[in-house]
Amino acid sequence: MVTLVLGLLSLSGLCAFLALLLEAAHAVFADYGPCRISINGGAKELSVKGGGRLLGTLMDQGIFIPSACGGRGSCGLCKVRVLEGGGPLLPTETPYMNAQEVADGTRLSCQVRVRTDLVIQIPEAFFLIREFRARVVGLKPLTPFIKEVHLKLLDPPEIVFKPGQFIQFQVPEYEGSPEPVYRAYSIASPARLKNEIKLVITRVERGVATTYIHTLLKEGDEVRINGPYGDFYLRHSDREMIMIGTGSGLAPLMSILHHMADEKIDRPCTLYFGVKSRQDLFYQEEIHELGAKLSRFRYVPVLSQPLPEDRWDGETGFVTDAVARDVTDGSRMEAYLCGNPLMINAAVKLLMERGVTEDRIFFDKFG
Ligand SMILES: Cc1cc2nc3c(=O)[nH]c(=O)nc-3n(C[C@H](O)[C@H](O)[C@H](O)COP(=O)(O)OP(=O)(O)OC[C@H]3O[C@@H](n4cnc5c(N)ncnc54)[C@H](O)[C@@H]3O)c2cc1C
Ligand code: FES
């Protein structure tokens, strides 16, 4: 068994090394010269250096395509239609495409390389996505593993977003990363504050971006973000809401709650917040303050591993256990889920079993 695991590890290490080698060789030897990219029937024409990935090439030209995985081919968000010049669909793309998308030339822009002139089609809304320069004006530990990053926007000075959406944060080249990388972070602050945003970032062991953010980022630093992105945002309706978050998955739910309090959207709403122990709870005061403004709001923190010193007499177990205990008929509910993918899979299954229809379950998986 140990030999098998070691074998698999060395094989995946070898594959990663070969991929890196190929990428490096490509960067050094391949020369595709200048290429033209014609967008939306010629509405925009770009002249670019060939050889790069379409996602990054467009980004260099100030056109931002939604992406949550930083171009690693694992989020499926960076879809554009490539009408000419994209070459064949790659095996890395097929898991993210349905039959209609295959037929209409939809591609993952992070997987398509610009080798020749391209004709592409993108939604007009993508032209509204911007890159921002921002200043770090606050860094606050919220729990032993979670930090709040407070950014003031410099240029452009304002961002317009829907509560629940995310931005991409650019981590510059540093000893943990030979090149800049982008990672998605949800906006935790209210949408009414357009000149500043707050992010809530969990440190991931050996994580490229979060190691930088937790150990090297300083107050006063200038950073780059782009956005806003995503279709995880509050829908207009008067349905009862159920919100479930784990860890930093509370971030977009806070932005939604702020918006509800600001706009007096007093729908019945229960927020379930799942963490391990009391030290992992954060924004407790803010949640209670917002709850006081919303007459039909209920807050249910759930600890999966309470410590003896926590003296916890609230809900325990997985956050979905608490939901299962409470929700018997979800047929008139709308659900907003955010956090770790395992929780979200379990919550979607449970909510559907309890009658919440699939089209009323919205989620962002952090992973
Ligand atoms: C739409 C969206 C919104 C997001 N919003 C937030 C947010 O508000 N706050 C936040 O903290 N994160 C958020 N994330 C996750 C974030 O984008 C990064 O994936 C995360 O910060 C890890 O980045 P990294 O570069 O440090 O780790 P990487 O270097 O990318 O990964 C290192 C290793 O850790 C694993 N890993 C990656 N993410 C996690 C994780 N969350 N838990 C455990 N292991 C992990 C990877 O599989 C890999 O093996 C969001 C993700 C998405 C898709
Ligand atoms: S950027 Fe995530 S799949 Fe392309």
Side-chain angles (χ1 to χ4, degrees):
M1 185 62 185
V2 175
T3 324
L4 181 67
V5 172
L6 285 176
L8 284 173
L9 281 177
S10 44
L11 188 64
S12 58
L14 186 67
C15 289
F17 176 70
L18 285 175
L20 271 176
L21 209 63
L22 272 175
E23 196 69 25
H26 193 275
V28 174
F29 300 116
D31 179 8
Y32 297 100
C35 298
R36 291 193 69 75
I37 303 180
S38 171
I39 308 176
N40 294 2
K44 208 163 179 83
E45 299 278 349
L46 306 175
S47 177
V48 301
K49 182 173 178 297
R53 308 274 178 176
L54 180 56
L55 179 75
T57 304
L58 290 174
M59 198 183 272
D60 290 344
Q61 301 289 322
I63 297 172
F64 297 92
I65 307 296
S67 147
C69 69
R72 290 177 293 182
S74 60
C75 71
L77 285 186
C78 62
K79 289 176 180 174
V80 302
R81 284 179 68 204
V82 180
L83 307 178
E84 284 173 31
L89 193 68
L90 302 172
T92 45
E93 299 173 83
T94 45
Y96 298 98
M97 302 294 166
N98 61 33
Q100 171 63 38
E101 289 170 329
V102 172
D104 72 14
T106 299
R107 303 291 301 268
L108 292 185
S109 57
C110 69
Q111 302 298 300
V112 173
R113 209 176 267 286
V114 183
R115 293 191 167 98
T116 174
D117 292 351
L118 294 177
V119 177
I120 69 170
Q121 185 87 34
I122 64 175
E124 289 291 323
F126 290 1
F127 291 120
L128 299 177
I129 299 171
R130 293 273 172 275
E131 182 176 53
F132 298 81
R133 286 192 302 111
R135 175 96 51 221
V136 180
V137 291
L139 285 170
K140 185 164 87 181
L142 298 176
T143 77
F145 298 102
I146 298 184
K147 226 173 211 183
E148 179 188 83
V149 178
H150 186 177
L151 302 177
K152 192 116 190 149
L153 302 184
L154 302 174
D155 184 29
E158 293 199 337
I159 183 167
V160 176
F161 65 95
K162 295 181 188 167
Q165 287 193 300
F166 67 92
I167 53 90
Q168 285 208 100
F169 186 101
Q170 188 198 60
V171 171
E173 187 183 319
Y174 77 106
E175 59 269 28
S177 175
E179 57 184 14
V181 296
Y182 292 87
R183 295 288 185 269
Y185 294 106
S186 305
I187 304 174
S189 42
R192 92 183 118 76
L193 300 179
K194 296 189 171 52
N195 175 240
E196 56 186 281
I197 58 169
K198 285 183 180 171
L199 309 173
V200 169
I201 301 185
T202 306
R203 182 163 185 179
V204 168
E205 217 183 320
R206 288 189 288 278
V208 173
T210 55
T211 301
Y212 176 84
I213 291 167
H214 275 254
T215 61
L216 296 173
L217 190 70
K218 301 182 304 302
E219 271 186 40
D221 281 358
E222 191 177 308
V223 297
R224 280 175 191 271
I225 60 168
N226 58 67
Y229 298 105
D231 53 12
F232 182 73
Y233 54 81
L234 182 64
R235 296 332 198 243
H236 294 292
S237 90
D238 53 8
R239 283 186 204 101
E240 178 175 352
M241 290 169 65
I242 177 166
M243 304 206 284
I244 311 176
T246 49
S248 46
L250 182 65
L253 304 179
M254 287 304 289
S255 186
I256 290 177
L257 269 182
H258 276 291
H259 182 71
M260 290 171 67
D262 288 343
E263 299 297 316
K264 303 193 177 17
I265 302 173
D266 203 1
R267 292 164 61 177
C269 172
T270 306
L271 166 64
Y272 294 87
F273 182 30
V275 297
K276 275 191 186 161
S277 65
R278 199 188 273 274
Q279 66 172 358
D280 304 312
L281 291 169
F282 59 94
Y283 284 160
Q284 298 307 282
E285 229 172 273
E286 286 91 333
I287 293 175
H288 289 296
E289 280 168 19
L290 290 169
K293 296 181 186 165
L294 298 166
S295 69
R296 294 188 286 173
F297 175 74
R298 193 163 73 92
Y299 173 47
V300 185
V302 186
L303 301 192
S304 61
Q305 295 169 30
L307 302 169
E309 61 268 32
D310 287 345
R311 299 179 205 289
W312 184 254
D313 58 3
E315 291 279 353
T316 55
F318 288 130
V319 68
T320 42
D321 297 337
V323 178
R325 286 191 282 271
D326 280 0
V327 178
T328 47
D329 176 10
S331 58
R332 278 190 287 274
M333 285 182 172
E334 195 169 274
Y336 295 85
L337 323 173
C338 200
N340 91 58
L342 289 177
M343 178 282 282
I344 289 180
N345 294 343
V348 169
K349 183 169 175 289
L350 169 72
L351 292 170
M352 286 177 68
E353 283 164 7
R354 302 291 157 98
V356 188
T357 54
E358 203 173 356
D359 59 326
R360 290 186 195 154
I361 304 179
F362 308 101
F363 56 81
D364 256 351
K365 288 184 183 176
F366 288 8

